[in-house]
Amino acid sequence: EAQVTQNPRYLITVTGKKLTVTCSQNMNHEYMSWYRQDPGLGLRQIYYSMNVEVTDKGDVPEGYKVSRKEKRNFPLILESPSPNQTSLYFCASSRRSGTSGYNEQFFGPGTRLTVL
Amino acid sequence: AQSVTQLDSHVSVSEGTPVLLRCNYSSSYSPSLFWYVQHPNKGLQLLLKYTSAATLVKGINGFEAEFKKSETSFHLTKPSAHMSDAAEYFCVVSVTGNQFYFGTGTSLTVIP
């Protein structure tokens, strides 16, 4: 089954304790992205990656790191989490944009993170 | 810079009546526009997209949207609401195909 998986689905942690949220897709997509969803704010893009070893900042990158060493994986790293990073996080992937226009993003199920 | 404004945070309709979810965008260049739906405790699913082809776009589950450049709008409509349409809807704009800007969402309630 074609899908984007995220782990963990739920995480409660404390301020300053480094954590990684994994994201993996099995559709051979070039493009991957991370978003955070907060009430009343919709989804905001954190980082995106056009392909292996190619990453770039989205709208709200502060406090986050990413890496893209393999095509299928795009982990989100919080080196020193703070309470304002408490949020619902989504990973997404898509084929690279082509002549038909921008492609559908496939979203993972989400990771609910609480930082105390 | 691009941005999206969803004009209603909540919309309530009766089952079988039309649905209208409003979206206005701001973009310096020709944008691509999308509508995604999020059912409770689920991820997001693409309903439809506009990428400079036909201005009237048909999507899944009977939804459609019309791109109106003069009004900078991309409103989502459906002729007859179904209970299963109750969800959160997001309008999204992109110019580069790399960066995507979401609206704040419209929560649709369908009354039996």
Side-chain angles (χ1 to χ4, degrees):
Chain A
E1 180 190 355
Q3 60 183 348
V4 178
T5 56
Q6 296 178 224
N7 282 292
R9 294 289 312 280
Y10 302 90
L11 179 60
I12 300 175
T13 189
V14 296
T15 299
K17 186 176 181 181
K18 181 179 178 180
L19 66 93
T20 299
V21 183
T22 65
C23 172
S24 183
Q25 51 94 4
N26 63 1
M27 295 169 279
N28 201 35
H29 286 165
E30 294 87 4
Y31 178 91
M32 297 186 75
S33 185
W34 276 103
Y35 298 88
R36 60 177 290 173
Q37 182 178 18
D38 301 290
L41 296 178
L43 279 78
R44 293 177 292 167
Q45 193 170 27
I46 303 170
Y47 269 94
Y48 62 92
S49 170
M50 294 299 291
N51 214 326
V52 175
E53 302 291 2
V54 181
T55 63
D56 211 342
K57 297 177 181 178
D59 225 20
V60 289
E62 297 78 19
Y64 304 94
K65 284 176 56 177
V66 293
S67 68
R68 187 92 182 273
K69 292 184 170 55
E70 304 166 285
K71 197 172 187 179
R72 64 182 295 128
N73 296 324
F74 191 44
L76 180 69
I77 304 156
L78 285 73
E79 295 266 0
S80 183
S82 62
N84 63 14
Q85 293 178 297
T86 292
S87 187
L88 179 59
Y89 291 86
F90 287 100
C91 180
S93 73
S94 73
R95 288 183 293 117
R96 196 184 313 196
S97 301
T99 54
S100 63
Y102 304 130
N103 292 305
E104 172 184 4
Q105 290 186 76
F106 292 84
F107 284 81
T111 295
R112 189 166 293 280
L113 172 65
T114 301
V115 183
L116 301 174
Chain B
Q2 302 94 53
S3 66
V4 169
T5 301
Q6 291 185 242
L7 297 162
D8 307 292
S9 57
H10 299 278
V11 169
S12 186
V13 300
S14 297
E15 190 176 18
T17 65
V19 175
L20 170 63
L21 305 183
R22 298 183 295 165
C23 171
N24 284 104
Y25 70 90
S26 172
S27 175
S28 305
Y29 303 95
S30 296
S32 288
L33 293 155
F34 308 78
W35 276 98
Y36 280 84
V37 61
Q38 183 180 32
H39 289 279
N41 300 313
K42 295 285 179 66
L44 285 83
Q45 180 185 20
L46 180 70
L47 278 178
L48 48 81
K49 69 177 181 181
Y50 165 78
T51 55
S52 77
T55 56
L56 182 62
V57 182
K58 294 189 184 299
I60 62 172
N61 300 334
F63 284 94
E64 64 181 39
E66 186 171 7
F67 173 71
K68 293 187 176 180
K69 186 175 181 179
S70 61
E71 300 176 10
T72 61
S73 69
F74 190 57
H75 301 333
L76 182 70
T77 60
K78 182 174 181 178
S80 176
H82 191 273
M83 294 299 295
S84 61
D85 295 328
E88 187 90 15
Y89 292 80
F90 293 97
C91 183
V92 185
V93 65
S94 180
V95 170
T96 64
N98 303 330
Q99 291 187 275
F100 294 83
Y101 297 89
F102 283 67
T104 53
T106 297
S107 177
L108 176 65
T109 299
V110 182
I111 302 166

